[in-house]
Amino acid sequence: MEFTLRRSLQRGQAKLPGLHPENRNQGTDKPTAERVLKAFSKVSLTIIKHRVGREIGRWLTPLSSVQQDIVQRLGFDASLSSQLEFQNTAN
């Protein structure tokens, strides 16, 4: 994860902001796995099931722009978060 993310940042001559807890505005081009994982620590996926066990809905915490950038730089499609969600209103 670190290698892929760092290589992507290096290729784009970019820095990721918000990974330094002491200074959220400071960017880095060498993010650690620990800091990247901490950036996702508040993300949650809620799954609602019908009493017979069938899923009737899933909701994912909206991703911040930094989280979306990380996901894309790791090679995942931008629609990944929407693919994790669904709502079934049928009874």
XYZ file of all heavy atoms in Angstrom:
725
model
N 0.837 -1.177 0.000
C 0.000 0.000 0.000
C 0.888 1.249 0.000
O 0.646 2.163 -0.787
C -0.922 -0.020 1.217
C -1.738 1.235 1.365
S -2.945 1.250 2.697
C -1.949 1.058 4.125
N 1.875 1.290 0.901
C 2.757 2.457 0.956
C 3.467 2.669 -0.380
O 3.517 3.787 -0.886
C 3.811 2.297 2.056
C 3.319 2.578 3.436
C 4.429 2.444 4.476
O 5.616 2.247 4.122
O 4.102 2.533 5.661
N 4.013 1.589 -0.942
C 4.765 1.694 -2.190
C 3.896 2.247 -3.312
O 4.289 3.174 -4.024
C 5.338 0.319 -2.581
C 6.030 0.325 -3.908
C 7.311 0.828 -4.026
C 5.390 -0.151 -5.039
C 7.959 0.854 -5.265
C 6.018 -0.137 -6.273
C 7.313 0.370 -6.387
N 2.703 1.684 -3.467
C 1.798 2.108 -4.541
C 1.398 3.564 -4.379
O 1.406 4.339 -5.342
C 0.543 1.214 -4.558
O 0.950 -0.137 -4.731
C -0.412 1.616 -5.669
N 1.066 3.946 -3.166
C 0.631 5.317 -2.902
C 1.788 6.300 -3.115
O 1.620 7.341 -3.756
C 0.074 5.414 -1.486
C -0.697 6.653 -1.104
C -1.808 6.957 -2.092
C -1.279 6.484 0.293
N 2.939 5.968 -2.590
C 4.095 6.862 -2.746
C 4.513 7.004 -4.209
O 4.865 8.089 -4.663
C 5.273 6.346 -1.913
C 5.057 6.525 -0.424
C 6.195 5.949 0.376
N 5.955 6.111 1.810
C 6.862 5.878 2.736
N 8.073 5.459 2.394
N 6.560 6.050 4.010
N 4.474 5.905 -4.949
C 4.825 5.956 -6.372
C 3.846 6.847 -7.130
O 4.246 7.650 -7.975
C 4.842 4.552 -6.958
C 5.291 4.522 -8.410
C 5.386 3.141 -8.960
N 4.083 2.477 -8.794
C 3.862 1.199 -9.025
N 4.832 0.421 -9.410
N 2.665 0.689 -8.867
N 2.554 6.725 -6.824
C 1.551 7.552 -7.488
C 1.766 9.033 -7.180
O 1.652 9.879 -8.064
C 0.149 7.124 -7.044
O -0.821 8.004 -7.542
N 2.077 9.326 -5.931
C 2.326 10.722 -5.549
C 3.579 11.252 -6.236
O 3.602 12.388 -6.706
C 2.455 10.841 -4.027
C 1.170 10.621 -3.244
C 1.466 10.440 -1.765
C 0.198 11.775 -3.457
N 4.602 10.406 -6.317
C 5.841 10.824 -6.965
C 5.619 11.092 -8.454
O 6.077 12.098 -8.980
C 6.910 9.749 -6.776
C 8.248 10.121 -7.350
C 9.273 9.012 -7.179
O 8.921 7.838 -7.139
N 10.534 9.384 -7.074
N 4.883 10.199 -9.114
C 4.604 10.389 -10.546
C 3.856 11.687 -10.808
O 4.102 12.369 -11.794
C 3.796 9.223 -11.081
C 4.594 8.001 -11.348
C 3.724 6.922 -11.941
N 4.471 5.691 -12.111
C 3.944 4.498 -12.165
N 2.642 4.343 -12.058
N 4.699 3.443 -12.306
N 2.898 11.986 -9.942
C 2.104 13.198 -10.111
C 2.694 14.416 -9.445
O 2.095 15.488 -9.456
N 3.883 14.258 -8.850
C 4.522 15.337 -8.094
C 3.504 15.991 -7.162
O 3.344 17.211 -7.124
C 5.166 16.349 -9.031
C 6.280 15.759 -9.866
C 6.917 16.768 -10.792
O 6.414 17.869 -10.999
N 8.034 16.393 -11.370
N 2.788 15.143 -6.414
C 1.727 15.611 -5.535
C 2.030 15.260 -4.086
O 2.918 14.456 -3.797
C 0.402 14.978 -5.956
N 1.266 15.862 -3.203
C 1.352 15.572 -1.775
C -0.060 15.393 -1.240
O -1.004 16.016 -1.727
C 2.048 16.704 -1.028
C 3.511 16.834 -1.395
C 4.212 17.811 -0.494
C 5.694 17.835 -0.867
N 6.505 18.369 0.201
N -0.179 14.524 -0.251
C -1.472 14.318 0.404
C -1.552 15.189 1.652
O -0.702 15.073 2.534
C -1.638 12.854 0.828
C -2.023 11.860 -0.238
C -2.005 10.454 0.345
C -3.384 12.168 -0.798
N -2.554 16.040 1.745
C -2.732 16.827 2.967
C -3.542 16.025 3.994
O -4.170 15.022 3.671
C -3.544 18.036 2.475
C -4.366 17.457 1.361
C -3.500 16.407 0.708
N -3.505 16.482 5.223
C -4.404 15.937 6.228
C -3.966 14.670 6.918
O -4.711 14.127 7.725
N -2.760 14.177 6.655
C -2.320 12.943 7.301
C -1.453 13.192 8.539
O -1.181 12.273 9.293
C -1.560 12.056 6.314
C -2.355 11.552 5.114
C -1.497 10.614 4.268
C -3.619 10.846 5.548
N -1.027 14.433 8.725
C -0.236 14.776 9.915
C -1.176 15.326 10.989
O -1.740 16.407 10.824
C 0.824 15.835 9.581
C 1.922 15.326 8.708
N 2.946 14.550 9.185
C 2.141 15.467 7.378
C 3.755 14.242 8.193
N 3.291 14.781 7.077
N -1.359 14.603 12.088
C -2.294 15.073 13.114
C -1.892 16.415 13.727
O -2.746 17.193 14.127
C -2.269 13.971 14.172
C -1.124 13.106 13.857
C -0.716 13.358 12.447
N -0.583 16.702 13.750
C -0.127 17.956 14.337
C -0.332 19.157 13.409
O -0.361 20.289 13.857
C 1.348 17.854 14.752
C 2.317 17.573 13.614
C 2.431 16.107 13.217
O 1.813 15.225 13.833
O 3.154 15.846 12.247
N -0.484 18.898 12.109
C -0.701 19.980 11.151
C -1.482 19.424 9.959
O -0.898 18.880 9.029
C 0.638 20.578 10.695
C 0.456 21.761 9.774
O -0.656 22.080 9.347
N 1.555 22.426 9.444
N -2.787 19.570 9.974
C -3.652 18.998 8.929
C -3.429 19.625 7.558
O -3.783 19.044 6.552
C -5.130 19.151 9.329
C -5.510 18.346 10.536
C -5.769 16.945 10.112
N -6.102 16.119 11.268
C -5.948 14.820 11.285
N -5.506 14.195 10.245
N -6.248 14.133 12.352
N -2.841 20.807 7.512
C -2.606 21.467 6.225
C -1.312 21.008 5.564
O -1.108 21.237 4.380
C -2.575 22.984 6.405
C -3.930 23.515 6.834
O -4.960 23.028 6.387
N -3.927 24.494 7.718
N -0.442 20.373 6.331
C 0.835 19.915 5.791
C 0.624 18.703 4.900
O -0.074 17.766 5.256
C 1.776 19.561 6.938
C 3.139 19.092 6.489
C 4.039 18.748 7.667
O 3.687 19.007 8.804
N 5.185 18.165 7.382
N 1.233 18.732 3.740
C 1.134 17.615 2.811
C 2.343 16.707 2.926
O 3.393 17.111 3.422
N 2.183 15.473 2.474
C 3.301 14.538 2.460
C 3.291 13.737 1.167
O 2.228 13.435 0.634
C 3.271 13.578 3.668
O 4.428 12.746 3.609
C 2.022 12.720 3.681
N 4.480 13.433 0.692
C 4.586 12.562 -0.476
C 5.109 11.183 -0.058
O 5.368 10.334 -0.879
C 5.471 13.178 -1.555
C 6.888 13.470 -1.075
O 7.158 13.338 0.133
O 7.725 13.843 -1.911
N 5.234 10.978 1.265
C 5.683 9.686 1.802
C 4.762 9.256 2.945
O 5.190 9.132 4.095
C 7.123 9.794 2.283
C 8.085 10.036 1.146
C 9.506 10.069 1.610
C 10.371 10.284 0.381
N 11.584 10.972 0.650
N 3.494 9.017 2.635
C 2.561 8.609 3.698
C 2.878 7.205 4.207
O 3.280 6.333 3.431
C 1.200 8.643 3.001
C 1.508 8.447 1.563
C 2.850 9.068 1.332
N 2.717 7.007 5.487
C 2.909 5.674 6.069
C 1.577 4.933 6.069
O 0.505 5.554 6.042
C 3.416 5.776 7.514
O 2.419 6.427 8.310
C 4.738 6.536 7.588
N 1.656 3.623 6.097
C 0.435 2.808 6.139
C -0.391 3.162 7.368
O -1.619 3.238 7.295
C 0.795 1.329 6.141
N 0.281 3.393 8.490
C -0.428 3.726 9.729
C -1.255 4.997 9.563
O -2.425 5.038 9.940
C 0.566 3.894 10.873
C -0.091 4.263 12.192
C 0.898 4.461 13.328
O 2.121 4.457 13.083
O 0.432 4.631 14.461
N -0.676 6.014 8.989
C -1.410 7.280 8.816
C -2.519 7.162 7.782
O -3.572 7.777 7.920
C -0.453 8.410 8.476
C 0.398 8.762 9.690
C 1.017 10.095 9.579
N 1.740 10.376 10.820
C 2.606 11.342 10.951
N 2.873 12.132 9.930
N 3.215 11.550 12.085
N -2.284 6.378 6.745
C -3.329 6.167 5.738
C -4.511 5.439 6.370
O -5.665 5.817 6.181
C -2.784 5.387 4.524
C -3.913 4.966 3.605
C -1.764 6.232 3.768
N -4.239 4.402 7.138
C -5.319 3.667 7.802
C -6.054 4.550 8.806
O -7.279 4.479 8.926
C -4.771 2.410 8.476
C -4.278 1.337 7.513
C -3.610 0.206 8.279
C -5.420 0.810 6.657
N -5.323 5.402 9.522
C -5.971 6.334 10.460
C -6.897 7.297 9.732
O -7.918 7.706 10.265
C -4.928 7.111 11.258
C -4.407 6.365 12.441
C -3.531 7.249 13.298
C -3.052 6.444 14.499
N -2.245 7.243 15.407
N -6.542 7.638 8.490
C -7.385 8.544 7.700
C -8.752 7.926 7.431
O -9.722 8.634 7.186
C -6.700 8.901 6.383
N -8.832 6.593 7.488
C -10.092 5.891 7.243
C -10.744 5.375 8.534
O -11.748 4.669 8.475
C -9.868 4.717 6.285
C -9.616 5.148 4.870
C -8.335 5.445 4.436
C -10.672 5.279 3.976
C -8.099 5.859 3.133
C -10.447 5.688 2.671
C -9.158 5.979 2.254
N -10.206 5.741 9.681
C -10.689 5.176 10.940
C -12.126 5.567 11.291
O -12.802 4.837 11.999
C -9.762 5.559 12.089
O -9.802 6.954 12.326
N -12.593 6.675 10.783
C -13.964 7.122 11.088
C -14.987 6.666 10.052
O -16.172 6.961 10.166
C -14.005 8.643 11.202
C -13.061 9.224 12.220
C -13.662 9.248 13.577
C -12.763 10.067 14.491
N -12.528 9.511 15.748
N -14.536 5.967 9.019
C -15.445 5.473 7.978
C -16.131 4.216 8.494
O -15.502 3.343 9.077
C -14.681 5.161 6.669
C -15.603 4.538 5.641
C -14.051 6.430 6.121
N -17.437 4.163 8.297
C -18.167 2.966 8.725
C -19.168 2.553 7.653
O -19.642 3.364 6.870
C -18.887 3.217 10.049
O -19.882 4.199 9.901
N -19.448 1.265 7.642
C -20.439 0.692 6.741
C -21.543 0.124 7.619
O -21.297 -0.744 8.451
C -19.816 -0.413 5.885
C -20.766 -1.173 4.957
C -21.347 -0.257 3.896
C -20.042 -2.346 4.308
N -22.743 0.638 7.450
C -23.897 0.167 8.217
C -24.718 -0.748 7.322
O -25.072 -0.377 6.202
C -24.774 1.359 8.677
O -23.953 2.244 9.448
C -25.941 0.890 9.503
N -25.005 -1.940 7.825
C -25.798 -2.915 7.075
C -27.086 -3.171 7.846
O -27.047 -3.536 9.019
C -25.030 -4.235 6.878
C -23.730 -3.969 6.105
C -25.889 -5.258 6.141
C -22.801 -5.153 6.038
N -28.212 -2.959 7.189
C -29.521 -3.208 7.782
C -30.065 -4.488 7.171
O -30.105 -4.634 5.947
C -30.512 -2.052 7.500
C -29.909 -0.698 7.898
C -31.843 -2.306 8.177
C -29.636 -0.536 9.367
N -30.484 -5.401 8.040
C -31.020 -6.676 7.555
C -32.467 -6.848 8.000
O -32.855 -6.403 9.070
C -30.193 -7.850 8.094
C -28.801 -7.916 7.531
C -28.098 -9.173 7.995
C -26.735 -9.267 7.334
N -26.102 -10.561 7.596
N -33.219 -7.495 7.152
C -34.585 -7.893 7.466
C -34.496 -9.006 8.495
O -33.488 -9.698 8.592
C -35.269 -8.380 6.167
C -36.743 -8.552 6.301
N -37.295 -9.712 6.755
C -37.762 -7.695 6.025
C -38.609 -9.586 6.758
N -38.904 -8.361 6.311
N -35.511 -9.223 9.261
C -35.425 -10.231 10.322
C -35.168 -11.644 9.799
O -34.714 -12.495 10.530
C -36.675 -10.208 11.196
C -37.935 -10.550 10.481
C -39.104 -10.491 11.417
N -40.294 -10.223 10.630
C -41.490 -10.263 11.115
N -41.677 -10.557 12.370
N -42.515 -10.001 10.351
N -35.410 -11.900 8.523
C -35.092 -13.214 7.959
C -33.640 -13.272 7.467
O -33.228 -14.277 6.906
C -36.062 -13.613 6.816
C -37.462 -13.795 7.344
C -36.009 -12.620 5.678
N -32.886 -12.207 7.671
C -31.475 -12.187 7.327
C -31.129 -11.563 6.003
O -29.965 -11.383 5.682
N -32.114 -11.212 5.211
C -31.862 -10.600 3.896
C -31.477 -9.129 4.091
O -32.116 -8.403 4.833
C -33.121 -10.712 3.039
C -32.974 -10.195 1.630
C -34.234 -10.439 0.812
N -35.428 -9.970 1.475
C -35.984 -8.763 1.268
N -35.464 -7.947 0.394
N -37.074 -8.410 1.917
N -30.402 -8.717 3.420
C -29.987 -7.315 3.515
C -31.006 -6.429 2.811
O -31.440 -6.733 1.708
C -28.619 -7.099 2.876
C -27.486 -7.650 3.675
C -26.131 -7.304 3.077
O -26.033 -6.384 2.246
O -25.177 -7.984 3.454
N -31.373 -5.330 3.470
C -32.286 -4.381 2.843
C -31.643 -3.014 2.631
O -32.223 -2.147 2.000
C -33.607 -4.233 3.638
C -33.343 -3.795 5.067
C -34.387 -5.528 3.590
C -34.602 -3.497 5.858
N -30.445 -2.832 3.136
C -29.762 -1.567 2.908
C -28.359 -1.551 3.461
O -28.062 -2.225 4.437
N -27.485 -0.809 2.781
C -26.121 -0.575 3.241
C -25.799 0.892 3.007
O -26.105 1.429 1.951
C -25.115 -1.433 2.468
C -25.180 -2.894 2.812
C -24.041 -3.643 2.193
N -24.314 -3.893 0.777
C -23.559 -4.645 -0.001
N -22.473 -5.192 0.467
N -23.885 -4.844 -1.259
N -25.191 1.504 3.997
C -24.813 2.911 3.897
C -23.381 3.067 4.360
O -22.993 2.578 5.415
C -25.732 3.790 4.748
C -27.129 3.808 4.240
C -27.672 4.684 3.338
C -28.179 2.897 4.576
N -28.981 4.367 3.096
C -29.332 3.259 3.858
C -28.279 1.794 5.412
C -30.529 2.602 3.940
C -29.477 1.117 5.506
C -30.589 1.537 4.775
N -22.595 3.782 3.562
C -21.193 4.025 3.855
C -21.015 5.492 4.197
O -21.597 6.365 3.548
C -20.330 3.673 2.632
C -18.829 3.798 2.790
C -18.303 2.721 3.726
C -18.145 3.676 1.429
N -20.200 5.755 5.217
C -19.860 7.127 5.554
C -19.262 7.789 4.307
O -18.396 7.188 3.657
C -18.812 7.153 6.687
O -19.278 6.375 7.782
C -18.521 8.565 7.138
N -19.706 8.980 3.947
C -19.133 9.644 2.766
C -17.622 9.833 2.926
O -17.149 10.181 4.013
C -19.843 10.998 2.727
C -21.089 10.802 3.515
C -20.764 9.780 4.565
N -16.884 9.594 1.871
C -15.439 9.749 1.916
C -15.041 11.201 1.672
O -15.625 11.880 0.826
C -14.775 8.860 0.854
C -14.993 7.356 0.978
C -14.253 6.621 -0.144
C -14.561 6.839 2.333
N -14.033 11.650 2.415
C -13.508 13.001 2.214
C -12.720 13.032 0.907
O -12.414 11.991 0.309
C -12.593 13.379 3.383
O -11.397 12.604 3.325
N -12.339 14.212 0.488
C -11.574 14.332 -0.760
C -10.213 13.647 -0.633
O -9.738 13.030 -1.592
C -11.415 15.793 -1.160
O -10.749 16.512 -0.151
N -9.600 13.704 0.539
C -8.315 13.028 0.752
C -8.503 11.517 0.684
O -7.712 10.802 0.049
C -7.686 13.440 2.103
C -6.462 12.586 2.419
C -7.317 14.915 2.096
N -9.556 11.011 1.300
C -9.837 9.571 1.251
C -10.111 9.117 -0.178
O -9.626 8.066 -0.602
C -11.022 9.231 2.153
C -10.722 9.399 3.626
C -11.970 9.413 4.486
O -13.057 9.798 4.040
N -11.828 8.996 5.732
N -10.873 9.907 -0.921
C -11.144 9.573 -2.321
C -9.853 9.568 -3.142
O -9.652 8.690 -3.980
C -12.146 10.569 -2.919
C -13.534 10.432 -2.358
C -14.466 11.528 -2.854
O -14.141 12.272 -3.771
N -15.631 11.629 -2.241
N -8.976 10.525 -2.881
C -7.695 10.593 -3.583
C -6.863 9.348 -3.275
O -6.286 8.741 -4.178
C -6.943 11.856 -3.170
C -5.721 12.135 -4.029
O -5.609 11.572 -5.142
O -4.867 12.926 -3.579
N -6.820 8.934 -2.020
C -6.067 7.745 -1.628
C -6.616 6.514 -2.339
O -5.859 5.712 -2.900
C -6.098 7.555 -0.101
C -5.289 8.660 0.588
C -5.574 6.176 0.293
C -5.458 8.719 2.100
N -7.926 6.361 -2.332
C -8.568 5.202 -2.971
C -8.200 5.141 -4.451
O -7.823 4.084 -4.968
C -10.101 5.247 -2.771
C -10.818 4.263 -3.661
C -10.450 4.988 -1.304
N -8.279 6.272 -5.135
C -7.950 6.309 -6.564
C -6.473 6.045 -6.812
O -6.118 5.322 -7.740
C -8.375 7.638 -7.174
C -9.878 7.765 -7.281
C -10.307 9.099 -7.856
O -9.611 10.092 -7.715
N -11.456 9.113 -8.504
N -5.604 6.599 -5.969
C -4.161 6.404 -6.139
C -3.753 4.959 -5.871
O -2.732 4.502 -6.357
C -3.373 7.357 -5.250
C -3.430 8.791 -5.729
C -2.585 9.709 -4.886
N -2.704 11.075 -5.350
C -2.044 11.582 -6.382
N -1.213 10.831 -7.074
N -2.204 12.843 -6.733
N -4.548 4.248 -5.097
C -4.279 2.835 -4.848
C -4.802 1.947 -5.975
O -4.651 0.729 -5.928
C -4.876 2.405 -3.505
C -4.152 2.963 -2.281
C -4.902 2.591 -1.005
C -2.709 2.472 -2.215
N -5.437 2.575 -6.960
C -5.866 1.833 -8.144
C -7.297 1.338 -8.109
O -7.698 0.554 -8.960
N -8.073 1.795 -7.132
C -9.476 1.404 -7.070
C -10.323 2.400 -7.846
O -10.016 3.585 -7.895
C -9.964 1.325 -5.619
C -9.278 0.264 -4.822
C -8.266 0.593 -3.944
C -9.630 -1.068 -4.966
C -7.619 -0.382 -3.211
C -8.999 -2.054 -4.242
C -7.976 -1.715 -3.351
N -11.401 1.916 -8.422
C -12.308 2.761 -9.184
C -12.976 3.768 -8.258
O -13.270 3.470 -7.095
C -13.369 1.881 -9.862
C -14.172 2.669 -10.861
O -13.749 2.766 -12.010
O -15.236 3.192 -10.462
N -13.241 4.948 -8.780
C -13.865 6.008 -7.990
C -15.252 5.620 -7.495
O -15.736 6.150 -6.499
C -13.948 7.292 -8.817
N -15.896 4.673 -8.176
C -17.250 4.271 -7.779
C -17.247 3.184 -6.708
O -18.304 2.661 -6.362
C -18.025 3.786 -9.005
O -17.423 2.599 -9.511
N -16.081 2.857 -6.155
C -15.993 1.799 -5.157
C -16.942 2.035 -3.988
O -17.672 1.132 -3.581
C -14.561 1.666 -4.632
C -14.347 0.680 -3.501
C -14.596 -0.742 -3.996
C -12.958 0.816 -2.917
N -16.961 3.247 -3.456
C -17.810 3.507 -2.294
C -19.289 3.369 -2.634
O -20.065 2.846 -1.834
C -17.525 4.886 -1.707
O -17.743 5.895 -2.648
N -19.700 3.792 -3.826
C -21.109 3.653 -4.193
C -21.474 2.194 -4.439
O -22.618 1.789 -4.258
C -21.451 4.510 -5.408
O -20.716 4.094 -6.526
N -20.488 1.374 -4.843
C -20.745 -0.043 -5.042
C -20.976 -0.764 -3.715
O -21.629 -1.797 -3.679
C -19.582 -0.693 -5.792
C -19.457 -0.241 -7.221
C -18.191 -0.771 -7.884
O -17.531 -1.647 -7.366
N -17.856 -0.208 -9.034
N -20.430 -0.210 -2.640
C -20.620 -0.823 -1.323
C -22.003 -0.520 -0.748
O -22.451 -1.184 0.165
C -19.544 -0.331 -0.346
C -18.135 -0.799 -0.642
C -17.139 -0.095 0.270
C -18.025 -2.301 -0.503
N -22.641 0.493 -1.273
C -23.954 0.901 -0.778
C -25.066 0.379 -1.672
O -24.904 0.241 -2.862
C -24.076 2.424 -0.750
C -23.247 3.103 0.263
C -23.576 4.584 0.354
O -24.736 4.959 0.122
O -22.659 5.345 0.655
N -26.189 0.089 -1.067
C -27.412 -0.139 -1.831
C -28.591 0.028 -0.895
O -28.471 -0.089 0.313
C -27.442 -1.518 -2.517
C -27.776 -2.668 -1.597
C -29.075 -3.033 -1.358
C -26.754 -3.377 -0.985
C -29.376 -4.100 -0.516
C -27.045 -4.426 -0.134
C -28.354 -4.787 0.095
N -29.710 0.339 -1.468
C -30.951 0.464 -0.709
C -32.003 -0.335 -1.440
O -32.217 -0.155 -2.618
C -31.379 1.927 -0.578
C -30.413 2.753 0.231
C -30.864 4.186 0.336
O -31.997 4.543 0.027
N -29.967 5.043 0.782
N -32.663 -1.196 -0.722
C -33.733 -2.007 -1.278
C -35.020 -1.599 -0.573
O -35.211 -1.916 0.592
C -33.456 -3.496 -1.078
C -34.499 -4.375 -1.698
O -35.500 -3.899 -2.218
N -34.278 -5.668 -1.651
N -35.867 -0.908 -1.269
C -37.114 -0.431 -0.645
C -38.244 -1.408 -0.813
O -39.340 -1.195 -0.296
C -37.507 0.939 -1.233
O -37.628 0.815 -2.643
C -36.470 1.989 -0.879
N -37.997 -2.499 -1.534
C -39.057 -3.512 -1.718
C -39.272 -4.276 -0.420
O -38.337 -4.540 0.313
C -38.676 -4.474 -2.829
N -40.508 -4.664 -0.159
C -40.794 -5.399 1.085
C -40.576 -6.865 0.915
O -40.833 -7.551 0.075
C -42.238 -5.136 1.518
C -42.411 -3.687 1.930
O -41.451 -3.038 2.365
N -43.592 -3.182 1.790
